[in-house]
Amino acid sequence: MGHLIDGKKWAAVSRATTAEEVQRLHAEGVRPMLVVVLVGEDPASQVYVRGKEKAAVAAGIVSRVVRFPASVDASTLLAHIEHLNRDDDVHGILVQLPLPAHIDEQTVIATMAPDKDVDGFHMENVGKLSIGASGFVPCTPLGVMQLLKYENIEVAGKHALVIGRSNIVGKPMAQLLLQANATVTVCHSRTQRLSELTRQADILVVAIGRSNLVTGDMVKPGAIVIDVGMNRVDGKLTGDVDFASVEPVAGAITPVPKGVGPMTIAMLLHNTVRAAKMRQKLITGVQ
Ligand code: NAD
């Protein structure tokens, strides 16, 4: 039976560390602030934003949500992001995706100041990640790496396989595993003989968005299985991994919910505090 990786527990540990850092910043007169920009009424986005807001406030981070109707024109949205870029009280900006179809996501992301891009989606941060320079790393893959660290799971030299190649999860996940000296394979919707490959993985990270796609017969005995998927099936949250058949085979496994999801939010708070600290250093010159 696989060891259950308790994302909720580890997220609480991470958030407590962040809250302590926030207190230290408060003592120095810095109040870390996160602004979430929410466009439209997408129910899932509303839920995510509420969760982020609640967690930020609990950690002592000032949280503001700026709401626009789905009909907002791109120029209004971009002008507001530029305004947030210039506002010295704002440390982190997050634009909740997806955006309505008439707004180009890449243009919006490119408008954000890279040093406030706590989601790590700006191309400057993407570039930094790919050359191993210090920048903001997307919260979900960063959360996966932090989970592996908390669980003392050795990554160096292991065969890590990522299913999914999105800019938000799959690609940055592969970059981080590579940086941690894993041998990395990336699979996607056009991969042939997927299960032959997955059966070779010591660490399997699944970020597809298809309920229960990875089954026990696709997993090497003893492998570490990280399920990033979040799918709504009949009103219930399910992962991309069929927990019932994979858990008996895996060495360790994250559940859905209470696996990767809570770590994503914890890393958003971590990145926001990091942004505040970076600004503080810039202003005071203190290292
Ligand atoms: P996406 O749709 O952008 O990308 C999905 C990827 O899966 C693509 O690269 C595609 O090539 C690959 N894929 C699709 N079908 C496949 C198949 N049959 N076999 C192999 N590969 C296949 O999705 P995303 O934004 O990367 O998100 C992936 C999942 O992770 C979703 O369920 C999403 O809800 C979830 N997610 C969770 C969190 C979290 O905090 N836990 C954060 C972000 C995304």
Side-chain angles (χ1 to χ4, degrees), residues 1 27 32 34 49 61 75 84 120 143 145 147 154 157 169 174 184 200 222 227 239 256 266 280:
M1 277 218 320
L34 171 69
V49 167
I61 294 171
S75 58
L84 295 172
M145 294 310 287
L147 269 185
E154 183 68 43
V169 189
V184 181
Q200 295 171 32
D227 188 355
V256 177
Q280 170 78 337

Side-chain angles (χ1 to χ4, degrees), residues 142-225:
L142 185 61
V144 171
M145 294 310 287
Q146 190 60 51
L147 269 185
L148 296 173
K149 210 177 279 173
Y150 280 143
E151 290 278 339
N152 291 316
I153 292 167
E154 183 68 43
V155 175
K158 296 287 164 59
H159 180 194
L161 187 143
V162 181
I163 316 182
R165 57 173 164 183
S166 72
N167 291 337
I168 294 173
V169 189
K171 280 185 205 153
M173 189 72 249
Q175 293 280 7
L176 287 169
L177 288 162
L178 191 59
Q179 251 175 45
N181 298 315
T183 300
V184 181
T185 302
V186 181
C187 297
H188 46 79
S189 54
R190 305 288 288 274
T191 297
Q192 294 179 3
R193 295 183 297 278
L194 180 66
S195 49
E196 259 175 48
L197 296 168
T198 56
R199 275 197 293 271
Q200 295 171 32
D202 304 308
I203 299 172
L204 181 59
V205 182
V206 189
I208 308 171
R210 304 269 187 284
S211 184
N212 297 339
L213 189 128
V214 171
T215 46
D217 57 317
M218 296 169 71
V219 174
K220 174 170 148 177
I224 309 298
V225 180

